[in-house]
Amino acid sequence: HERGAIADFLAAAVIGGPDTVRSGLSELARVTQADEFMLVCDIFDPALRLRSLDIAAAAMHPMVERTPL
């Protein structure tokens, strides 16, 4: 039961540098047809957490540019 919950949680995880995050978020948007994401960053260190969210924001910037509002 616990392994299933972990697998479900990690199924939508996007981990990596800017190119990997951009590709992963694009694929997640395509598969789910989501028009927005809520990002969760389980990193204790505030500087590392901010860096992680900065990478995600930079990766998403080109996606936002071409998405009609």
Side-chain angles (χ1 to χ4, degrees):
H1 183 69
E2 291 155 351
R3 288 183 185 190
I6 292 170
D8 287 345
F9 176 76
L10 293 177
V14 179
I15 301 166
D19 293 336
T20 302
V21 172
R22 183 178 303 109
S23 174
L25 291 176
S26 293
E27 179 64 11
L28 186 60
R30 184 190 69 75
V31 169
T32 63
Q33 297 295 301
D35 61 358
E36 66 182 20
F37 290 117
M38 293 178 65
L39 303 179
V40 175
C41 187
D42 294 328
I43 299 174
F44 178 75
D45 184 287
L48 294 176
R49 186 179 327 123
L50 182 57
R51 173 156 165 52
S52 177
L53 293 172
D54 282 343
I55 290 171
M60 292 177 69
H61 182 71
M63 293 170 48
V64 172
E65 289 288 316
R66 67 175 183 260
T67 303
L69 296 177

